[in-house]
C-alpha cells in the first residue's frame, strides 16, 4: 500500500470488489484463478492496493493507519 499524505487528514479508504475479468491482462495473469480482487482507494479515488482477499484489504488498510470502509 502506498504511504501517501492524505488530503485534509482524511484517513478513510474505500474497499471495493473488482471482477478479475475487468482488469488488464497483466493483472489477470497474476490473479491465479481468482474471480474477484479487492481494490483499496483513497478519498480522491487513487488506487492504493489490489489484493485477493477482503480480510487482507481491511488488515492492510488498518496496518497503515487508515480506516477502511466497504463500498457496495
Amino acid at each position: 500500500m502506498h504511504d501517501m499524505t492524505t488530503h485534509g487528514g482524511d484517513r478513510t479508504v474505500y474497499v471495493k470488489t473488482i471482477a478479475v475479468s475487468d482488469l488488464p491482462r497483466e493483472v489477470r495473469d497474476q490473479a491465479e484463478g481468482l474471480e474477484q480482487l479487492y481494490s483499496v482507494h483513497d478519498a480522491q479515488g487513487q488506487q492504493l492496493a489490489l489484493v485477493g482477499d477482503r480480510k487482507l484489504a481491511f488488515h492492510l488498510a488498518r496496518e497503515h493507519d487508515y480506516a477502511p470502509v466497504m463500498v457496495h
Side-chain angles (χ1 to χ4, degrees), residues 15 38 51-59 70:
V15 178
Y38 294 86
V51 297
D53 181 85
R54 180 182 180 276
K55 283 178 133 178
L56 179 58
F58 275 72
H59 174 77
M70 190 72 188

Side-chain angles (χ1 to χ4, degrees), residues 10-11 18 24 43 59 62:
D10 184 6
R11 300 297 294 177
I18 304 289
H59 174 77
R62 290 183 184 116

Side-chain angles (χ1 to χ4, degrees), residues 1-4 11 13 15 40 48-49 51 54-68:
M1 181 174 273
H2 297 255
D3 187 22
M4 298 177 43
R11 300 297 294 177
V13 292
V15 178
V40 181
L48 304 176
V51 297
R54 180 182 180 276
K55 283 178 133 178
L56 179 58
F58 275 72
H59 174 77
L60 186 61
R62 290 183 184 116
E63 188 174 276
H64 287 85
D65 297 322
Y66 287 97

Side-chain angles (χ1 to χ4, degrees), residues 2 5-7 12 14 18-19 21 23-25 27 32 36 40 42-44 50 53-54 56-58 62-63 70 72:
H2 297 255
T5 303
T6 58
H7 299 282
T12 301
Y14 302 90
I18 304 289
S21 61
L23 296 170
R25 176 171 295 289
V27 178
E32 299 179 355
Q36 64 184 18
V40 181
D42 66 14
Q44 289 70 43
L50 186 63
D53 181 85
R54 180 182 180 276
L56 179 58
F58 275 72
R62 290 183 184 116
E63 188 174 276
M70 190 72 188
H72 299 284

